[in-house]
Structures are given as structure tokens and as C-alpha cells.
């Protein structure tokens, strides 16, 4: 029986907190508030010195390149961001001609690529897509989604995962063992029976388990590589949005969340960022290779 401990990591109430990223070279957690165009930064050792930066565009996904730079998935493209100077540099545009579109979930893959999804601003059905940027080339690899989420990777099994929150379904893709390129058609990995809950952001641990934030259900689910439910961790945040391993060896799980209309005594917890300790087999995110 696992002994998980849930604590508040940062008490800022984000309207739509998303994309937590632990930067292993800086021992720092980054995340965004999509609606407010804010990028947050908080050190585990100095949480009182947390700060936010107002961005010139919507940022929805974060990865890291090196000690000085993040990779940002934004409404208009993928950017390289200098952390100290706070300067973004465009790498490639992304559906920039369509003002009704924005990016959504994204993550680095273990081969050095960066995956980023897009969606219609009003979540129009079938308009969601997933792209991969790799070796200076941007490819669209999945179409006909609505709210694409949950991009994460299991290198040992040459798998990629993604969710469509609209259909309450998690999918799995076979990937090439050497390049990470898509090597087959997507298959259903896990289907929620209750379509009122939405599978959101997730991450894979070192033995292939998937740790998923379930929007509307107030919990983190851990699924085995065979789609068996191993853990369900209840949290006070009704709408958790995404997960990220952090700490020196991935022993922590950070969870972002969004505000909701709850009128109970836990209203001041909604939208905050929490920390779950007692994690085993966590692993840190790989860098993007440009």
C-alpha cells in the first residue's frame, strides 16, 4: 500500500493552470496560467521567491532545452525562451493564419522531439490536431480530435499516449524505437465510462505507468501499461489539469489545476498547484534537441 502525502506547493489560484515542468538542471518547477498568459517559476528550495512573467501570447505547453532555455508551445508557434532574459525566439509557426485556433497540451519526447496539440478556441468537434517538431521539421501526426491532451511517452515500449478529453478516451500510438516517429495507427488504451469526466494531462513513470489528472473527478489516476487502475489519489482540486514528476529523482508529483464554481470550504484550493510525495519510479523529463 502506497503512502502518498498531498501538500500545497503554490497557493496562487490560476484560472487555468497547466503544463507543469520540472527543470532538472535548475531544480525548479515551471507552469502556466493559460487564460492569464502567465508563466510561473518556483524553486523547491525557495518557494517564497516564486514569480510569474506576463507573456506576449498564450502559452500552453513547456519543455526544457538546457540550463538557460525553455521550449514553449504557444497559440502561434513553438518558441525557444531565454529564462534569465525573458526573451522568446520563434522556432516555427503553427497554424498562425487561423485566429480561432490555439495550442493545448505538449511535451518533449525521449528522442529529442517536441509534441504539441492544437484545438479550436470554442472546442469545435474534430478540429484538434497533434504535431511533432523533430530534426527541424514540423509534422502533423494526428487529426480529427476535439480537445487533445495527455501527450506522454514510454520509450521502453516505444509508445506515445494522448487523450481526447471530449470523448473521455486515452489512446496509444506505436513509435519507432530509434526515431520516435509514428509507426502505426492509434488504438484505444482506456475509455472512461463516465463521459462527464475528462482525462487531461499525464506523464509516464520509469516502469511504464501512466499518471493522469482527471478533470471533473478531483483525482489522479495511475494506470499500468496494460490499462489496469493501480492507484486513484483523491485531491481537493476538482479540476486537476496536468502532472509532472520532480525532485532529485522524480520522487514528487506536481499537479496543476483550474478554478471551478465550487462553493464549498475548499474554494480557496481550486486553481492552486499541489505536490504529492511518496512517489516511486518517477522519472524526469528529457530535453528537446534543436
Amino acid at each position: 500500500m502506497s503512502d502518498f502525502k498531498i501538500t500545497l506547493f503554490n497557493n496562487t489560484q490560476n484560472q487555468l493552470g497547466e503544463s507543469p515542468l520540472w527543470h532538472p538542471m535548475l531544480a525548479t518547477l515551471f507552469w502556466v496560467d493559460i487564460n492569464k498568459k502567465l508563466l510561473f517559476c518556483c524553486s523547491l528550495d525557495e518557494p517564497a521567491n516564486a514569480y510569474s512573467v506576463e507573456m506576449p501570447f498564450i502559452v500552453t505547453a513547456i519543455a526544457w532545452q538546457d540550463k538557460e532555455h525553455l521550449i514553449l508551445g504557444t497559440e502561434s508557434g513553438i518558441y525557444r525562451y531565454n529564462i534569465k532574459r525573458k526573451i522568446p525566439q520563434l522556432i516555427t509557426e503553427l497554424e498562425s493564419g487561423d485566429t480561432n485556433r490555439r495550442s493545448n497540451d505538449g511535451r518533449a519526447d525521449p528522442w529529442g522531439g517536441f509534441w504539441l496539440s492544437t484545438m479550436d478556441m470554442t472546442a469545435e468537434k474534430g478540429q484538434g490536431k497533434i504535431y511533432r517538431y523533430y530534426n527541424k521539421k514540423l509534422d502533423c501526426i494526428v487529426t480529427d480530435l476535439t480537445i487533445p491532451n495527455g501527450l506522454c511517452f514510454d520509450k521502453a515500449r516505444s509508445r506515445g499516449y494522448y487523450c481526447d478529453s471530449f470523448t473521455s478516451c486515452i489512446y496509444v500510438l506505436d513509435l519507432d524505437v530509434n526515431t520516435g516517429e509514428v509507426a502505426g495507427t492509434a488504438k484505444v488504451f482506456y475509455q472512461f465510462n463516465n463521459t462527464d469526466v475528462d482525462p487531461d494531462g499525464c506523464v509516464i513513470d520509469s516502469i511504464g505507468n501512466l499518471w493522469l489528472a482527471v478533470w471533473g473527478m478531483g483525482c489522479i489516476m495511475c494506470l499500468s501499461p496494460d490499462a489496469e487502475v493501480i492507484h486513484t489519489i483523491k485531491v481537493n482540486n476538482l479540476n486537476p489539469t496536468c502532472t509532472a514528476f520532480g525532485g532529485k529523482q522524480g520522487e514528487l508529483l506536481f499537479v496543476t489545476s483550474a478554478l471551478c464554481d465550487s462553493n464549498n470550504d475548499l474554494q480557496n484550493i481550486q486553481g492552486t498547484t499541489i505536490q504529492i510525495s511518496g512517489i516511486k519510479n518517477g522519472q524526469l523529463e528529457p530535453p528537446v534537441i534543436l
Side-chain angles (χ1 to χ4, degrees), residues 25 49 79 84 99 164 168 226 246 258:
M25 299 182 75
N49 293 331
Y79 285 78
K84 184 176 182 180
T99 57
D164 190 339
S168 302
D226 297 319

Side-chain angles (χ1 to χ4, degrees), residues 260-279:
C260 66
D261 296 329
S262 171
N263 292 318
N264 61 27
D265 293 338
L266 299 175
Q267 180 62 30
N268 63 340
I269 300 297
Q270 310 310 312
T272 60
T273 303
I274 63 173
Q275 171 186 301
I276 302 175
S277 58
I279 300 295

Side-chain angles (χ1 to χ4, degrees), residues 90-111:
L90 181 66
I91 297 173
T92 183
E93 292 186 341
L94 182 71
E95 301 180 0
S96 58
D98 193 338
T99 57
N100 292 322
R101 312 271 301 163
R102 72 162 173 84
S103 58
N104 200 39
D105 195 71
R107 190 178 297 275
D109 71 34
W111 296 269

Side-chain angles (χ1 to χ4, degrees), residues 72-84:
L72 305 179
T74 80
E75 60 184 318
S76 59
I78 299 172
Y79 285 78
R80 183 173 185 251
Y81 178 75
N82 187 293
I83 299 169
K84 184 176 182 180

Side-chain angles (χ1 to χ4, degrees), residues 22 24 27 44-45 246-252 284:
W22 177 261
L44 188 64
D45 296 329
K248 292 182 179 180
Q249 298 179 329
E251 71 278 7
L252 303 174
L284 304 181

Side-chain angles (χ1 to χ4, degrees), residues 9-12 29 31 40-43 46-52:
F9 178 70
N10 183 272
N11 63 3
T12 300
L29 187 75
W31 72 96
F40 288 88
C41 174
C42 187
S43 167
E46 299 178 335
N49 293 331
Y51 66 89
S52 64

Side-chain angles (χ1 to χ4, degrees), residues 65-247:
Q65 182 197 4
D66 53 33
K67 191 173 184 178
E68 297 179 351
H69 298 94
L70 300 175
I71 303 298
L72 305 179
T74 80
E75 60 184 318
S76 59
I78 299 172
Y79 285 78
R80 183 173 185 251
Y81 178 75
N82 187 293
I83 299 169
K84 184 176 182 180
R85 298 173 63 194
K86 301 179 176 60
I87 297 176
Q89 178 185 10
L90 181 66
I91 297 173
T92 183
E93 292 186 341
L94 182 71
E95 301 180 0
S96 58
D98 193 338
T99 57
N100 292 322
R101 312 271 301 163
R102 72 162 173 84
S103 58
N104 200 39
D105 195 71
R107 190 178 297 275
D109 71 34
W111 296 269
F114 182 64
W115 295 47
L116 184 64
S117 68
T118 62
M119 59 179 285
D120 181 79
M121 285 284 197
T122 60
E124 182 179 346
K125 187 177 179 179
Q127 296 301 306
K129 299 177 182 179
I130 297 175
Y131 294 84
R132 186 193 189 209
Y133 184 78
Y134 181 69
N135 278 344
K136 303 186 185 304
K137 183 182 177 183
L138 183 69
D139 291 312
C140 181
I141 55 177
V142 182
T143 60
D144 299 319
L145 304 172
T146 300
I147 307 176
N149 267 310
L151 295 170
C152 57
F153 307 94
D154 182 351
K155 187 175 185 181
R157 294 170 181 78
S158 298
R159 289 180 177 181
Y161 295 90
Y162 66 90
C163 308
D164 190 339
S165 298
F166 179 77
T167 60
S168 302
C169 189
I170 307 173
Y171 300 89
V172 60
L173 279 169
D174 291 327
L175 305 178
D176 183 273
V177 65
N178 296 311
T179 65
E181 294 179 354
V182 175
T185 57
K187 300 178 288 291
V188 172
F189 176 72
Y190 188 89
Q191 176 69 64
F192 284 85
N193 293 324
N194 182 356
T195 56
D196 290 332
V197 300
D198 300 331
D200 210 323
C202 48
V203 69
I204 301 292
D205 68 20
S206 63
I207 59 174
N209 297 324
L210 184 151
W211 296 76
L212 171 74
V214 189
W215 175 288
M217 197 168 158
C219 72
I220 306 302
M221 290 178 61
C222 178
L223 303 172
S224 77
D226 297 319
E228 298 173 347
V229 178
I230 301 173
H231 304 294
T232 300
I233 307 172
K234 296 295 293 183
V235 296
N236 289 328
N237 311 69
L238 180 62
N239 293 332
T241 56
C242 196
T243 55
F245 293 118

